[in-house]
Amino acid sequence: MRILIYGGSFNPPHAGHIRSAQVAAAALRPDKTVLIPAALPPHKHLAAGTPAPEHRLAMTALAAAEIPNCEASDMELRRSGPSYTSDTARQLRQEYPGAELIFLMGTDMLLTIESWHEPEVIMELASLAIFAREDGREAEIAAQAAHLRETYGARVYVLGGEPVTVSSTQVRGLLPQRQGRAYLTDGVYAYIIRHRLYGAKPELCWLREKGYAYLKPKRVPHVQGTEEMAVRLAELWGADRDDAAEAAILHDCTKRLDRDEQLRLCEKYGIMTDEWELQNEKLLHAKTGAALAADVFGVPPHIESAIRWHTTGRPGMTLLEQVVFLADAVELNRKHYPALEAIREAAFQDLDAAMELYLRSSLYYVAQGGEAVHPSTAATQRYFLKRLEEKGRAPVEWEPEKI
Ligand code: ATP
């Protein structure tokens, strides 16, 4: 029996790890491959902001799915103290007596192995397999392999293959800039975004692909229009354009659900419903959408609240909340409704006045239709009217059209 063992911080596991394990598995044909995230790597510090061990284990398990006969093991995470490879080798030797154990490692680890704890134990109990992290290190690797064979009687396999020049440090640096997905599997990336590990923010093209899957196809143009308008308004009024895009992409993510499904989500997420929402379930999608966006896509509270308040608004709305609310109301794919053009024009002149006009006109038309108005809509209209008065700005003059 032959077991390939790959230890590391896996913080997060990236394409370099996966490629090297795939190449090693194809060349050495192990019966199984085990990825072992270290609790406390003895030869490097875990970076500040490193996620909890459970997260590294979960990401490693997701990465393992890309490698044949591969699993993630928590054996080092369960052990206290520094995660010495020699202890892991002893433990595995007991578990698998008679098996050939092979530790897979990159160039950096091969070159420093003699400074590890009990290197002679590691090389006695296990073979080594080396996959270069970058081109041009062949001579160095060959010399070190020869040295280890001679000095420790080590069994060293030097693997060929195109390296993937990337490190976890590099990926951690890219994730907050909405980059780095190219170095991760989709499963690992979705996990990182869901939990917003490493301060990650989603790449917007990825978020669109995943977010649109929650929509009825006919709603996609509206969501696209809302995103475009949200970005324009954000740029004009000084909100973060990418936060606005995130909120817009996800703002209707539960809109397709019927009343029962909405209520099930309310139960799942502990959402309280009021009598107006129970009468008119269309109002619920803002609350359930915000909760789902936070749960599945890890949106931070300021984006969650922009989704949460995009239907009724609320007194004291933030700039981002207003931008998303109005983008939804006046995006260019919107079917005509009374006051649309006036509200759209106002959105580019005075954001508060556009909010006030939208709310005033919808209060008027909802009342005309004999429907109950959510009290938050009326309270929000009064709030914006007062705000305009305080700032000495006039509300938009508007005569209701006959409908
Ligand atoms: P960090 O940037 O946080 O130091 P890292 O990218 O070096 O992390 P680790 O999880 O610490 O990744 O490395 C685990 C093992 O994977 C080591 O043996 C390392 O040499 C190897 N490895 C890491 N990146 C690559 C790569 N791009 N190609 C081949 N092997 C790699």
Side-chain angles (χ1 to χ4, degrees), residues 6 9-10 14 17 44 106 108-109 133 164 166 168-169 172:
Y6 203 5
S9 313
F10 300 121
H14 53 64
H17 295 125
K44 61 168 87 169
D108 51 333
M109 294 296 133
R133 292 185 69 152
V164 181
V166 65
S168 296
T169 306
R172 290 195 300 271

Side-chain angles (χ1 to χ4, degrees), residues 133-152:
R133 292 185 69 152
E134 60 276 292
D135 283 322
R137 309 289 295 269
E138 294 78 6
E140 231 176 321
I141 291 172
Q144 173 75 343
H147 167 69
L148 296 178
R149 285 185 190 112
E150 201 174 302
T151 316
Y152 300 90

Side-chain angles (χ1 to χ4, degrees), residues 16 41 46 49 55 67 75 95 110 115 158 181 186 214 227:
L46 285 175
H55 284 313
I67 301 154
M75 63 186 284
E95 264 177 55
L110 175 76
S115 65
V158 178
R181 180 168 66 99
D186 201 45
Y214 285 82
E227 182 190 347

